[in-house]
């Protein structure tokens, strides 16, 4: 657990609803593509095995966790607001 890493990434509410791919940096300096599943909730943590820090003994690694913050818009234009209100009313 002491060799695990946490990376926080922000996604839009649309990406949280429909899913998406994000690119995150790794401790080695490379980039890693992560699939965000449809229906992702705020503060969901995705586990990326063996991408954390090296363990003190041996050549094993901890895990990287990607915590997803969902950005909720605070100022929608009237058209987008109407679309979302109609969608809400359908439920």
């Amino acid at each position: 657990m002491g060799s695990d890493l946490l990376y926080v990434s922000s996604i839009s509410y649309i990406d949280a609803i429909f899913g998406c791919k994000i690119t995150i940096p790794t401790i080695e300096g490379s980039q890693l593509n992560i699939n965000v599943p449809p229906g992702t909730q705020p503060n969901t943590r995705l586990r990326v095995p063996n991408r954390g820090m090296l363990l003190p003994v041996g050549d094993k690694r901890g895990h990287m966790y990607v915590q997803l913050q969902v950005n909720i818009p605070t100022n929608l234009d009237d058209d987008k607001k109407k679309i979302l209100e109609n969608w809400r009313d359908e439920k």
Side-chain angles (χ1 to χ4, degrees), residues 17-59:
I17 293 169
F18 293 109
C20 66
K21 287 185 188 255
I22 59 172
T23 302
I24 60 167
T26 66
I27 195 167
E28 299 92 11
S30 62
Q31 300 289 312
L32 186 63
N33 292 322
I34 302 290
N35 289 319
V36 176
T40 294
Q41 299 298 306
N43 296 313
T44 293
R45 282 192 181 182
L46 304 175
R47 183 174 161 260
V48 184
N50 305 313
R51 289 298 187 137
M53 297 182 350
L54 280 171
L55 294 169
V57 178
D59 60 351

Side-chain angles (χ1 to χ4, degrees), residues 6-90:
L6 176 65
Y7 182 80
V8 179
S9 182
S10 295
I11 60 172
S12 73
Y13 73 103
I14 298 294
D15 286 339
I17 293 169
F18 293 109
C20 66
K21 287 185 188 255
I22 59 172
T23 302
I24 60 167
T26 66
I27 195 167
E28 299 92 11
S30 62
Q31 300 289 312
L32 186 63
N33 292 322
I34 302 290
N35 289 319
V36 176
T40 294
Q41 299 298 306
N43 296 313
T44 293
R45 282 192 181 182
L46 304 175
R47 183 174 161 260
V48 184
N50 305 313
R51 289 298 187 137
M53 297 182 350
L54 280 171
L55 294 169
V57 178
D59 60 351
K60 292 188 178 187
R61 291 186 169 276
H63 306 300
M64 176 185 273
Y65 292 90
V66 180
Q67 183 167 328
L68 300 170
Q69 293 182 339
V70 179
N71 294 327
I72 308 295
T74 56
N75 52 351
L76 292 171
D77 63 41
D78 289 340
D79 291 336
K80 290 179 184 149
K81 206 181 269 187
K82 186 70 174 165
I83 291 167
L84 289 173
E85 287 171 348
N86 287 337
W87 185 41
R88 176 188 64 194
D89 294 343
E90 287 177 8

